[in-house]
Amino acid sequence: MYVYDKHDRQIAAERVEQFRDQTRRALAGELSEDEFLPLRLQNGLYVQRLAPMLRIAVPYGMLRSVQLRRLARITRDYDKGYAHFTTRQNVQLNWPAVEDVPDILAELAEVEMHANQTSGNCIRNTTTDQFSGVQADEIADPRPYCEIIRQWSTFHPEFAFLPRKFKVAVNASEHSDRAAIQVHDIGLQLVRSDSGELGFRVHVGGGLGRTPMVGPVIREYLPEKDLLTYLEAVLRVYNRYGRRDNKFKARIKILVKALTPEGFAEKVEAEWAHIKDSPTQLTREAIDKFQTYFTEPDYQQVPDVQASLATQRFENRGFDQWIANNVDTHKKSGYAIVTLTMKKTGIPPGDVSDRQLEQIADLADEYSFGEVRVTHQQNAVLADVRQDRLYELWQAITPMGFATANLNKLTDVICCPGGDYCALANAKSIPVAEAIQRKFEDLDYLYDIGDLDLNISGCMNACGHHHVGNIGVLGVDKKGQEFYQISLGGSSHHDAAIGKILGPSFARDDMPDVVKRIIDVYVDNRTQEEAFLDTYRRIGIDPFKERVYA
Amino acid sequence: MPKVITEDGSIIQDEWVVVERPADGESLDIPEQPALIPADLWLAGKEHFEGRKDIGVWFDSHQEPEILAGVVNELDVIAVNFPKFADGRGYSIARLLRERLQYRNELRAIGDVLLDQLQFMKRCGFDRFVLRADKNAEEAARCLNFFSQGYQAATDTDVPLFRRRAS
Ligand code: HEM
Ligand code: SF4
């Protein structure tokens, strides 16, 4: 994991002092509300329905146990004792006081954390696959590139006041995309050229929100050394020509669409030609240096233990289900990747208490080299667990509520905070998630339905990624009443797609039944081995419409 | 007379006035004192201004500095307007002027110029700042130097931190 050197420490300390000064001037009236707004947003500070909200950056989702413990302490000392894992691998606090934020930032800086650029019209936290570095099918570890991008984008003097927020995601696996790169402003897929050189396929102009789009490829192959100069060219074109007259049309996706992907790519290439060989071009030494931060932990030579695992699984059904669902294969023999699910029915997706943060820290120390990853599905990952300790781990986490064996299933809902916390919401989303979870409590039924992404957002901003849920739920407001619109067929993976709206919206109480009817259509129509999305793609939306509105 | 901040944070008196773009059909009215006129109009009537050290130009944030390619150094002062401090196009314009067009003379930020943006402006190549009149110029020196270094190469340094670390 990346470790600060003296330069990073100094910049972090200067940032804390800068924000302390800005907060002081804002509270003293020397900065107007309007002038303070982008400054505080670039420090992750929103002003919300019930209280301010502070979004803390978790670069590419990686946390050390000492950082988790510090987060736990911060939630206790400055908040109500819990935090929230977000769909951008960050952590949010819902109740800090504005005047405490500089102190919170100082506490974070002590453990090499910050809230830089977690909001505002700038380059946000770069996200990636939570299984980076431990899965077998990855082209290369994406995290060094994410860190390179993090540093380049931090306080970039040219790009701190873009037309709109800007998000970059990197994916490295050939067969899966857990980073949803095609619905980001820039999505980078690590690839190898015909001659075996590392590079990126570049998608630009994806995104959710009001005008959801899948990002087209604007460059099939970008050599790794050119990563930053090319990003700089894309951002410069966007900064100069992106629309600033209308905030709903200010995202880069609108510019890419207006110019066509080819036209946009041409402009970027023309810009890039000038800066391609500038000192921002990455050197071999620099890339190597960043890679040294993400070397393998101290793995032991241990064999796979399938046989003894099989016995334990045979003897204990709960353990068997958990292994089947929440445990993934690891590139190293004898190890496994474990996802701690945070989706116990009745607990808002992503909510973590101070105690749980400490429990996760302890688990990380005991089982996974002291490291944890946060996922954009609002779960947490222990990436390096010895197979011969899985049973013990499962026993330990079951009472903590992290062993709900529903990963990637219908009840592993992605859900934004909605009307319970968010000032922008049209409707509540947490109670909808809970009602659906209750309806599908029977695990056997859930496994029979198979992998399925159910995503819920409380409004068009799409924090809950509803557009890319296989089933998406969107809170809408009709004359002051809360209703829910359903879309089907979305995907955030390699086959990214925006869901199609099913039809008129539903009252909240109807939602569990509506989802049940949708599932029934799938179950009645599927062929063996067909996942929900496959069936939907084969039979189309009409059969679902017929049954749901019958 | 308004005050101007220099890149080291000192405060000097300003003599330059910004001449607004004339309305359609109106002609450009050039005052007696040193004046900044819209860059495209200067270019269009360049021969009239030959040898006039007291004429500079300004760009608005949507304009393209590329129009001055090859002739920028005939000017002693170029200004870039920030119509709103949150309009970040001026930063790109400044870098293009400095890095692409190799402009060497005075580059000033005008318009909605606030304290917390000064260091970004400086890093993008501005060396004079006409702070918005209601802001406290005494604070400028501090705000210009919140950070002792940056991660990226920009106009102030062509050595990104990753290269400095390697050395
Ligand atoms: C409670 C306070 C929150 C507020 C006020 C808020 C506000 C917003 C707004 C205004 C957008 C605008 C998007 C656009 O137009 O592009 C947005 C997008 C987004 N938010 Fe939130 N949000 C909040 C909480 C969250 C949480 C808790 C999560 C994660 C669970 C989240 C994840 C996201 C994501 C992923 C997007 C981007 C969607 C896209 O790709 O365009 N937000 N949010
Ligand atoms: S989707 Fe809407 S309701 Fe949900 S968190 Fe985002 S802004 Fe708030």
Side-chain angles (χ1 to χ4, degrees), chain A residues 127-146:
Chain A
T127 50
T128 191
D129 186 340
Q130 64 267 20
F131 292 175
S132 295
V134 292
Q135 58 193 337
D137 75 341
E138 144 181 303
I139 311 271
D141 190 339
R143 292 169 302 172
Y145 303 98
C146 293

Side-chain angles (χ1 to χ4, degrees), chain B residues 42 45-53 74:
Chain B
W42 175 80
K46 195 160 145 318
E47 58 287 358
H48 300 302
F49 304 112
E50 216 73 64
R52 293 270 314 258
K53 283 285 180 199
E74 294 175 25

